[in-house]
């Protein structure tokens, strides 16, 4: 599986994902990953230039920033500039929007919510990696915002759940995080968010247990039986395509994203499978 994925990465992926693969699976140089991120940096302390492929153009946006932070996590690093930048786009309640209004001038996927109101999804995916490395006033406001949002969830959808559990896995109050994760897991079951296609999602855009419990030590792992996790991982492994990579399940709204995302989701699939001892 790894050999086939490696062939796919070298044949298809961006330089950044090639460098990530080298570090994660071949003992590559961590500094090369940091160097490959440099072209995506923006002067205001964020990241842009389609680092997260669904947003094109040069402006810094939260999805590009959380993609950069996730990449830096692969080498045990972070970007200390980021919290100062986030403070400039944070709403008064402590949350960060998915995309800021200056994205309206550039090509963007229709599901990016452009505005100024704080988003659980965006704030959680930024908070989790930063909180592992830094102490900063932005983190305190973001954490308070996230607890209010998570505690208030009654009706949800799979991507929001993914972000919420990412926050809970990183939250400092572990007892509170465990209780919130237990409640969230019940909502996932009650609202039938596993193995079904929610309203408004692309055909085939279905979430499986491994999409919520991306690693074996996630609080979401307890939502599923061993048999359910095994079946989910079997399904994930089976989705390796003939070329050796994994494809996105959401809509291809411009041709470039199919290729650019494939490197990202291939690495994500391998990381999940490795976490559970499958590779």
């Amino acid at each position: 599986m790894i050999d086939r994925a490696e062939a796919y990465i070298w044949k298809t992926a961006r330089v950044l994902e090639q460098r990530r693969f080298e570090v994660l699976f071949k003992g590559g140089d961590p500094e090369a990953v940091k160097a490959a991120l440099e072209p995506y940096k923006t002067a205001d302390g964020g990241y842009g230039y389609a680092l997260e492929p669904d947003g094109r153009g040069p402006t810094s946006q939260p999805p590009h920033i959380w993609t950069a932070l996730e990449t830096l996590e692969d080498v045990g690093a972070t970007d200390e500039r980021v919290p100062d930048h986030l403070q400039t786009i944070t709403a008064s309640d402590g949350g960060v929007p998915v995309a800021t209004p200056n994205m309206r001038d550039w090509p963007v996927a229709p599901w990016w919510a452009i505005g100024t109101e704080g988003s659980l999804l965006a704030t959680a995916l930024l908070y989790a990696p930063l909180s592992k490395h830094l102490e900063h006033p932005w983190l305190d406001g973001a954490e308070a915002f996230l607890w209010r949002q998570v505690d208030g969830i009654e009706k949800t959808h799979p991507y929001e759940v993914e972000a919420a559990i990412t926050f809970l896995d990183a939250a400092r109050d572990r007892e509170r995080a465990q209780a919130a994760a237990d409640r969230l897991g019940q909502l996932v079951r009650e609202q039938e968010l596993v193995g079904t296609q929610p309203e408004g999602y692309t055909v085939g855009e279905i979430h499986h247990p491994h999409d919520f419990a991306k690693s074996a030590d996630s609080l979401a792992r307890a939502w599923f039986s061993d048999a359910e996790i095994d079946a989910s991982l079997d399904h994930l492994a089976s989705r390796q395509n003939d070329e050796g990579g994994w494809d996105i399940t959401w809509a291809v709204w411009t041709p470039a994203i199919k290729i650019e995302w494939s490197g990202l989701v291939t690495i994500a699939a391998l990381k999940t499978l490795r976490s559970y001892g499958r590779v």
Side-chain angles (χ1 to χ4, degrees), residues 154-211:
E154 296 295 339
K155 176 71 174 178
T156 188
H157 61 91
Y159 290 123
E160 184 176 70
V161 173
E162 283 188 33
I165 198 65
T166 298
F167 163 62
L168 295 174
D169 281 338
R172 287 176 283 195
D173 187 336
R174 301 310 302 154
E175 184 175 353
R176 184 177 180 182
Q178 181 67 67
D182 291 345
R183 190 180 79 87
L184 194 60
Q186 292 175 357
L187 290 178
V188 166
R189 293 291 194 182
E190 291 169 2
Q191 295 176 21
E192 299 180 341
L193 301 183
V194 183
T196 61
Q197 183 178 304
E199 183 178 354
Y201 280 46
T202 299
V203 174
E205 193 175 8
I206 294 170
H207 280 65
H208 301 272
H210 69 264
D211 291 310

Side-chain angles (χ1 to χ4, degrees), residues 110 198 220 253 268 272:
W253 61 275
T272 293

Side-chain angles (χ1 to χ4, degrees), residues 161-162 165 188-189 193-196 206-216 218-236 272 276:
V161 173
E162 283 188 33
I165 198 65
V188 166
R189 293 291 194 182
L193 301 183
V194 183
T196 61
I206 294 170
H207 280 65
H208 301 272
H210 69 264
D211 291 310
F212 301 110
K214 297 182 188 299
S215 64
S218 170
L219 290 171
R221 171 63 182 86
W223 299 352
F224 308 103
S225 68
D226 291 347
E228 287 173 321
I229 287 291
D230 285 343
S232 182
L233 296 173
D234 287 345
H235 173 74
L236 178 61
T272 293
Y276 287 95

Side-chain angles (χ1 to χ4, degrees), residues 19-24 26-35 75:
R19 292 299 198 179
R20 289 180 68 189
F21 183 88
E22 285 184 314
V23 166
L24 289 167
K26 296 292 179 178
D29 180 8
E31 293 304 316
V33 172
K34 298 177 185 177
V75 297

